[in-house]
Amino acid sequence: MPEEIYPDLFRIKVPLPESPLKYLNSYVIKGDGRNLLIDTGLNREECKQALLGGLYQLNIDLSTIEIFITHLHADHFGLLASLAGPDTIVYFNRPDAEIIENWQGFEPMIRYAAIHGFPEETLRTAISQHPGYKYGTDWVPEMSILNDKDRIDIGRYSFECIETPGHTQGHTCLYEPDKKFLIAGDHIRYYPEYPVLVG
Ligand SMILES: [Zn+2]
């Protein structure tokens, strides 16, 4: 059963097989008629089963969710295409969205590395084993862009978007100023004195 961390705010632990990270924290906030899902897991069956199972236990229908993605990494983004329908509202940030819009596959990266002397076959082998390659997604739904200081109101919570470039160019956290907690994605890994909900 997903853990209720704050009222109406739940954590679903999504397993990340073969990864030293072990699992991803996906957060679900129940609202009135709408529900918000934050981050998804990899595009693989184990993640899908865990996430759908968690939503089922929370009695949340997939058609009622909106999805916020903190950043463009496969363990947060990869399952998005399996969860979103054509009418699902998906919130994302502009810098990471531009990477998707301009994506030309891995070949430019391989060519660039080869120019600088990196063995091409070694890089191809590494990429073929990378979760972003194996468990990413080809299809991307239309996304609603949120910028720094934009807000998402859901149920009893009102979140402020805080752009935290570094981990990715557009990584964005959600801060709840009244309740004073931060949904941190991968921006902060662990900081026990403060109520930070890590990804
Ligand atoms: Zn990440």
Side-chain angles (χ1 to χ4, degrees):
M1 185 72 189
E3 178 186 1
E4 188 168 20
I5 296 173
Y6 291 99
D8 294 335
L9 192 159
F10 299 85
R11 172 172 56 194
I12 300 174
K13 283 188 168 185
V14 180
L16 300 176
E18 304 156 46
S19 166
L21 296 172
K22 293 193 170 58
Y23 60 85
L24 169 108
N25 288 322
S26 181
Y27 296 99
V28 181
I29 298 155
K30 281 187 150 185
D32 291 327
R34 309 158 49 224
N35 303 287
L36 183 67
L37 172 71
I38 301 168
D39 290 338
T40 68
L42 297 164
N43 183 23
R44 57 185 292 173
E45 195 59 28
E46 297 91 335
C47 297
K48 188 174 181 180
Q49 292 303 326
L51 199 54
L52 292 180
L55 292 174
Y56 178 80
Q57 288 175 309
L58 293 171
N59 202 23
I60 291 176
D61 191 289
L62 206 51
S63 66
T64 66
I65 63 166
E66 299 175 7
I67 304 175
F68 177 89
I69 304 289
T70 56
H71 65 291
L72 182 58
H73 278 166
D75 51 338
H76 295 252
F77 190 97
L79 196 57
L80 174 62
S82 297
L83 302 173
D87 298 325
T88 306
I89 296 174
V90 179
Y91 302 105
F92 200 43
N93 65 78
R94 168 51 54 198
D96 284 359
E98 286 180 357
I99 292 174
I100 296 172
E101 289 160 10
N102 297 323
W103 181 244
Q104 296 175 351
F106 287 96
E107 288 306 317
M109 183 199 303
I110 292 169
R111 283 200 298 273
Y112 182 80
I115 289 169
H116 293 276
F118 198 96
E120 182 177 327
E121 282 314 308
T122 305
L123 189 53
R124 284 190 189 283
T125 302
I127 288 172
S128 72
Q129 294 165 359
H130 191 278
Y133 180 84
K134 283 164 52 178
Y135 306 120
T137 176
D138 291 330
W139 178 78
V140 176
E142 194 171 321
M143 295 189 280
S144 301
I145 297 298
L146 291 173
N147 297 298
D148 195 45
K149 302 263 190 301
D150 282 349
R151 300 195 79 93
I152 302 179
D153 295 321
I154 187 82
R156 65 178 77 215
Y157 299 104
S158 180
F159 291 101
E160 181 180 321
C161 294
I162 301 181
E163 281 196 13
T164 50
H167 184 74
T168 66
Q169 291 178 30
H171 187 290
T172 301
C173 301
L174 292 179
Y175 181 58
E176 221 297 346
D178 289 336
K179 314 289 189 299
K180 292 190 168 41
F181 67 83
L182 182 76
I183 296 179
D186 280 352
H187 181 58
I188 299 169
R189 294 307 305 174
Y190 184 58
Y191 202 30
E193 291 84 0
Y194 293 94
V196 173
L197 308 184
V198 299

